[in-house]
């Protein structure tokens, strides 16, 4: 069917068709998908679904028409800021906006850094310095906004090589980036050192906590050792934290925080010369759905700090169990020394094991991982979604390794994200 039918169809028929379309999608509800969907449990679903119904049609384009969405944004941003110690700063409280996701938060941070560099330092050929583990969204931002990326290597343990970063900054550097933790191996960069490097050239320092923003504050409350990474670190100017990941809200919501209102102003766009009226835009969107914003508000209210601490406790139990299990199985190992919820599993050198063939075998049994390289490895974002299945996973992993032996696959593709 390439054309939209002339005649409309009844609701139940349409919904039945749509349901059928989902047949080949990953079955995340069984807990066997490591990433992409984050399941906070039945009552979290319930509160999100009811909030979604209330806000399905609302538009945050103009918060004078929808003052509730202005309040929702202010409150969610405020709660996040306080979790990340954005209160009581010399500059006043940190402030920010809701965005549609981590990528948009990062786009905003890069744009703000470029603008600040241009206005305050006269930088006309802006550059940013990234460890090679920084998320691909920074490269997208550089491409969109005309910055040059200087990539620094990482160390053996996959953390940013801060000495290499230090020698890479220069008078054109407007942004220096670290992650807490980074996505590929789940290790945390030395944010204090990275922020120092940024300060040495008066550049912004962005901490990408898209993954960690709603884990590390609670891990700390659980007594885990968490190296300083948030606004308590001098020189950190912006932080991205995704509520639609381990914040357990449905997709479409992230927070971009700035250390000061003055810094925040560099990401906004205001235009007063249009016949359509005054146009002020906080992020990359025009029309903004109220749905994800309201869902985030509802999920955060429902969980509270205690709810998040409990989900984080469970998540870390799952991830620790997975890491220990992998290390106990012959032929596979964990890359880096990640302490949180991301696990990259590679073959032990000389094992002859093809990780992508292993990925295929695991998929046959319903386990879904992202694939990365080099070295070839299977990536897991572990969350509360995977509670209760880790032992089964390890049993299947062991069995699959035995099963595939030296089998290899020709498919070397590593699709984190796709076009169509
Ligand atoms: C997921 C992620 C992003 C990008 O966020 P999206 O919500 O997928 O756009 C950026 N950085 C890290 C570390 C991430 O895990």
């Amino acid at each position: 069917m390439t054309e939209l039918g002339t005649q409309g169809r009844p609701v139940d028929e349409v919904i039945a068709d749509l349901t059928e379309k989902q047949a080949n999608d990953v079955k995340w509800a069984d807990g066997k998908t490591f990433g992409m969907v984050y399941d906070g449990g039945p009552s979290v679903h319930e509160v999100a679904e009811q909030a979604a119904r209330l806000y399905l049609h609302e538009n945050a384009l103009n918060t004078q028409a929808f003052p509730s969405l202005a309040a929702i944004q202010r409150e969610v941003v405020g709660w996040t800021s306080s979790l990340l110690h954005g209160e009581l700063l010399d500059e006043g409280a940190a402030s920010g906006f809701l965005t549609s996701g981590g990528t948009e938060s990062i786009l905003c941070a890069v744009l703000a850094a470029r603008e600040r560099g241009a206005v305050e330092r006269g930088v006309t050929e802006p550059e940013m310095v990234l460890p090679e583990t920084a998320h691909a969204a920074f490269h997208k931002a550089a491409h969109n906004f005309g910055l040059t990326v200087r990539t620094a290597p990482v160390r053996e343990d996959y953390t940013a090589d801060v000495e290499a970063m230090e020698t890479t900054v220069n008078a054109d550097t407007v942004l220096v980036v670290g992650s807490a933790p980074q996505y590929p191996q789940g290790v945390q960069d030395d944010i204090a050192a990275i922020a120092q490097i940024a300060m040495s050239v008066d550049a912004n320092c962005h901490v990408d906590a898209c993954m960690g923003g709603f884990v590390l504050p609670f891990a700390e409350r659980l007594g885990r050792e968490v190296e300083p990474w948030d606004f308590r670190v001098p020189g950190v100017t912006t932080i991205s934290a995704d509520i639609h990941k381990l914040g357990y809200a449905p997709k479409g919501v992230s927070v971009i925080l700035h250390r000061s209102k003055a810094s925040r102003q560099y990401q906004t766009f205001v235009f007063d010369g249009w016949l359509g009226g005054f146009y002020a835009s906080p992020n990359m969107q025009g029309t903004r759905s109220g749905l994800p914003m309201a869902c985030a508000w509802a999920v955060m209210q429902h969980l509270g700090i205690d709810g998040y601490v409990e989900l984080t406790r469970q998540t870390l139990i799952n991830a620790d169990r997975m890491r220990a299990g992998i290390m106990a199985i012959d032929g596979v190992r964990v890359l880096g020394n990640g302490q949180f919820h991301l696990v990259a599993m590679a073959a032990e050198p000389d094992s002859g094991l093809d990780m992508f063939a292993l990925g295929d075998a695991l998929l046959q049994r319903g386990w879904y991982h992202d694939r990365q390289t080099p070295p070839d490895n299977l990536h897991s974002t572990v969350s509360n979604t995977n509670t209760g299945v880790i032992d089964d996973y390890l049993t299947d992993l062991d069995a699959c390794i035995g099963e595939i032996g030296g089998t290899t696959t020709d498919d070397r593709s590593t699709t984190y994200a796709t076009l169509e």
Side-chain angles (χ1 to χ4, degrees), residues 76-133:
V76 171
V77 168
W79 301 331
T80 309
S81 164
S82 106
L83 279 172
L84 309 189
H85 299 90
E87 316 296 308
L88 310 172
L89 297 168
D90 294 343
E91 299 84 347
S95 61
F97 296 107
L98 293 180
T99 68
S100 62
T103 299
E104 191 183 359
S105 290
I106 288 167
L107 290 172
C108 292
V110 172
L111 182 64
R114 187 194 77 179
E115 289 304 288
R116 185 185 151 231
V119 172
E120 297 183 11
R121 292 165 52 211
V123 177
T124 53
E125 294 185 15
E127 298 186 2
M128 59 178 168
V129 176
L130 309 177
E132 57 186 333
T133 46

Side-chain angles (χ1 to χ4, degrees), residues 47 75-76 79 247 294-305 307-308:
V47 80
E75 288 165 17
V76 171
W79 301 331
C295 287
W297 191 95
V299 167
M300 287 182 80
Q301 279 294 296
H302 176 62
L303 285 170
I305 303 277
Y308 278 115

Side-chain angles (χ1 to χ4, degrees), residues 176-215:
V176 186
V177 173
S179 307
Q182 42 93 314
Y183 175 86
Q185 297 82 22
V187 298
Q188 183 175 324
D189 294 325
D190 182 347
I191 301 300
I194 289 171
Q196 277 292 334
I197 294 168
M199 281 198 288
S200 74
V201 289
D202 195 21
N204 279 15
C205 170
H206 183 78
V207 179
D208 181 3
C210 283
M211 266 300 174
F214 287 89
V215 173

